[in-house]
Amino acid sequence: MMGFGETAFGIDVGDGTLKVVKLTRRGGRVKLTRTWRLPYYLSPGNIADAAIEALEEIRPHIDSAARIVVAAPNQSASVHTYTVPTLESERSEDLARYEVLRDVDVPVEDLLIRHRIRKGTVEQQVHTFALQRTHVARWTSALHARGIPCDDVQVVGAALASFIEAERPWGKDRVLLAVGAIATELVLLTEGGIWTRHLPFGVADEEDLEHLALRLSGEIGAAVTKLLPNDRPFEPKDIVLTEEGALQSGLITALEAATGRDVTRISELTRVATGKMDWDRRSPAETLAMGKAFGLAMAGFGTGRFWAPMLDGNPQREAARRVPLATAAVFISALGIFAVTEQSRRHVAEINNTLPVQLSGNYQDLSNSWRQIIAERDTARTEANALLDIGKRRTETFAVRRALDIMSPMLSMRGGSQLHVEKVWLSTSRPGLPGTLTLTIHADPRFDEELGDKLQRAYRPAFQTVRVRGPDAAPLEGLSRFLVEITLP
């Protein structure tokens, strides 16, 4: 849709204030069109529920065709840069996965790992982005349940780094601090690397800004010691402050005193146009402090130095985006066909008027035959494409049909008790990543003691790697839930 422009929403939630940025892009020009800022950390009750309720307030303003990128859950999120020998891309990915698993205490099957490679002659830097799969699934399910669309999730520290490096490129040592109301993102940048750390405190947790600055200074020192390689010094040019902390002038002064470094904040946009826009009753300073949301929106366009898609995309939303473009293309094509047809008719009439009667009749027969041949060719092409599509679907869904076929005898022997497959989820394989197949089974609690073993015995001969979880409480009261997780080759 480049010719018609694109729209992206960056939704930052997790530090006590919902911040949303809407960007549009036409060609190479990116424009800020609207922002939202809704504090929710003071809401009574559960913070997660308050965040979802804040999201529901802006849901009516989200364009259905826009690309929407939401901040990923912070639990077990990891952004790290490793230096590995220059190898083939697959071996580099394996080395990066090994390093991530060594640093993150989470089983490999419950990790979403992406990477970006900065190639060198002898060594190369590999930026890794890791999220815990169960946390992402729980978060995206909560969004879907409330009717909030989502195309991808991003680690907010990496999104912030992409925005700052685009607006104020430096490329050398730098510290980024996104100090929110109840949480902070700490990002360390070097010429070839990025490291992030989530801190569970913000400006609302410390009334004394000098004490908060000392805590942040200590966390910066600890992160440099723990995360960065010790073969070179880390000398940051400055500390870039964003989010609610950037609105506290006292914090800037206190940070400079505590760290001995210059503290700067984004005072204007240099790469993003503003023009006339709806500021939603906020000052420009508040909007310029939404660094993480800007970075998330940039990820919606697939841009940014540290961008890496974490999810596999949403085919239904992708198809919906193509509808306006397809409609416009059909309309333009129809106009072109109409013009060409009219021109052809005029030429045919002119030729018929100049040809002898017999020759004109022969020409008309040949023209009719040619149209019939073209119609038959188009019909055959349509049928061939349909057969190819069916063949492709059979290959992709073979594992699903096989898994359901194995489950069929158990369902037939359930007697009068409830036992059914509630959901089947298939994730196809990608280079370096196996495919996965998950069956969610709801059953009468009377099956609890034996169903898990039966599922293991049934699926082990057919699939190499099978994991059965359960029984857990099903969403429907009175039923148990079992999960059969299959790793596909």
Side-chain angles (χ1 to χ4, degrees):
M1 297 177 63
M2 286 295 294
F4 297 87
E6 295 176 290
T7 302
F9 283 79
I11 301 178
D12 174 31
V13 59
D15 66 1
T17 304
L18 171 65
K19 284 156 282 190
V20 182
V21 166
K22 178 182 179 182
L23 299 180
T24 57
R25 181 173 70 170
R26 188 180 298 274
R29 184 172 183 267
V30 177
K31 181 180 178 181
L32 173 65
T33 56
R34 189 170 181 185
T35 62
W36 293 263
R37 185 175 182 272
L38 301 174
Y40 62 84
Y41 67 96
L42 295 176
S43 300
N46 185 280
I47 285 291
D49 292 339
I52 290 290
E53 291 176 4
L55 272 170
E56 286 187 322
E57 287 192 39
I58 62 98
R59 179 180 57 182
H61 304 283
I62 297 178
D63 302 340
S64 60
R67 297 187 183 277
I68 300 164
V69 180
V70 183
N74 291 313
Q75 303 96 317
S76 301
S78 171
V79 178
H80 206 111
T81 298
Y82 302 98
T83 301
V84 301
T86 299
L87 303 168
E88 299 88 349
S89 59
E90 291 185 1
R91 296 186 63 190
S92 296
E93 181 178 354
D94 291 338
L95 282 175
R97 288 172 65 86
Y98 169 77
E99 295 289 352
V100 172
L101 294 174
R102 191 178 64 174
D103 292 338
V104 180
D105 188 21
V106 177
V108 62
E109 62 271 13
D110 196 28
L111 274 180
L112 286 172
I113 302 176
R114 302 291 184 265
H115 74 284
R116 295 192 69 174
I117 298 176
R118 299 181 74 246
K119 291 188 177 295
T121 305
V122 179
E123 294 180 327
Q124 57 191 6
Q125 280 74 42
V126 181
H127 306 316
T128 61
F129 311 86
L131 293 171
Q132 193 163 344
R133 192 185 301 270
T134 52
H135 293 159
V136 173
R138 189 180 304 121
W139 177 228
T140 53
S141 297
L143 294 176
H144 179 73
R146 300 296 184 99
I148 301 168
C150 174
D151 294 292
D152 195 15
V153 297
Q154 290 282 299
V155 182
V156 290
L160 173 64
S162 291
F163 170 66
I164 297 298
E165 285 295 287
E167 280 291 322
R168 299 291 188 275
W170 173 240
K172 299 180 182 179
D173 295 349
R174 172 176 269 175
V175 176
L176 310 182
L177 274 178
V179 184
I182 58 175
T184 299
E185 297 299 324
L186 168 61
V187 183
L188 304 179
L189 291 175
T190 67
E191 184 176 1
I194 177 174
W195 295 262
T196 68
R197 191 171 188 178
H198 176 72
L199 308 177
F201 62 86
V203 293
D205 298 305
E206 290 285 355
E207 295 183 1
D208 188 342
L209 294 180
E210 292 184 358
H211 187 256
L212 176 60
L214 289 173
R215 289 186 68 181
L216 292 171
S217 178
E219 291 290 350
I220 293 172
V224 170
T225 302
K226 180 179 180 181
L227 299 178
L228 297 187
N230 54 13
D231 58 349
R232 63 178 296 274
F234 180 71
E235 295 293 336
K237 170 195 175 186
D238 57 7
I239 298 174
V240 181
L241 185 63
T242 70
E243 313 312 316
E244 279 62 43
L247 305 176
Q248 304 285 338
S249 58
L251 180 59
I252 296 175
T253 303
L255 270 175
E256 289 180 337
T259 62
R261 306 282 181 185
D262 291 335
V263 177
T264 62
R265 53 187 175 182
I266 299 296
S267 57
E268 62 177 344
L269 296 174
T270 60
R271 301 294 181 88
V272 179
T274 54
K276 295 180 180 180
M277 60 166 289
D278 185 353
W279 292 95
D280 197 22
R281 301 181 301 280
R282 278 180 310 284
S283 67
E286 290 178 302
T287 292
L288 293 172
M290 299 183 185
K292 295 183 292 181
F294 272 101
L296 293 168
M298 288 171 54
F301 295 138
T303 60
R305 179 181 172 190
F306 303 106
W307 171 76
M310 300 302 296
L311 302 182
D312 295 329
N314 189 322
Q316 293 180 344
R317 287 181 52 75
E318 288 294 336
R321 287 190 194 99
R322 289 193 290 268
V323 169
L325 180 61
T327 303
V330 169
F331 178 73
I332 294 172
S333 299
L335 288 178
I337 292 172
F338 177 77
V340 170
T341 301
E342 289 299 316
Q343 187 176 9
S344 299
R345 286 177 179 175
R346 288 197 298 270
H347 285 308
V348 169
E350 293 175 0
I351 292 173
N352 287 337
N353 292 333
T354 58
L355 291 177
V357 175
Q358 183 178 0
L359 188 57
S360 176
N362 292 339
Y363 171 79
Q364 190 64 42
D365 292 340
L366 288 173
S367 179
N368 293 336
S369 298
W370 176 249
R371 283 197 295 270
Q372 183 176 355
I373 291 171
I374 293 297
E376 292 174 353
R377 182 204 64 183
D378 292 342
T379 300
R381 182 178 295 169
T382 302
E383 293 175 351
N385 289 336
L387 291 174
L388 284 174
D389 186 53
I390 292 172
K392 290 178 180 177
R393 287 202 302 269
R394 285 186 59 83
T395 301
E396 294 173 350
T397 60
F398 174 76
V400 176
R401 291 183 280 109
R402 189 178 187 187
L404 292 176
D405 185 59
I406 293 173
M407 189 66 199
S408 180
M410 296 187 192
L411 297 176
S412 63
M413 293 186 295
R414 68 182 185 276
S417 302
Q418 293 196 49
L419 176 63
H420 61 276
V421 177
E422 179 68 16
K423 182 171 65 176
V424 178
W425 180 266
L426 174 65
S427 177
T428 56
S429 62
R430 301 194 314 161
L433 295 174
T436 58
L437 174 64
T438 303
L439 280 78
T440 302
I441 300 165
H442 288 178
D444 192 294
R446 285 178 288 182
F447 294 108
D448 284 359
E449 294 184 1
E450 59 182 15
L451 185 56
D453 293 336
K454 285 186 177 181
L455 292 170
Q456 286 278 8
R457 292 195 299 271
Y459 282 95
R460 284 288 184 188
F463 298 97
Q464 184 175 1
T465 304
V466 178
R467 184 178 180 183
V468 178
R469 296 184 182 183
D472 299 319
L476 187 61
E477 186 177 357
L479 293 180
S480 298
R481 179 177 64 185
F482 289 80
L483 294 179
V484 180
E485 299 173 338
I486 300 169
T487 300
L488 303 175

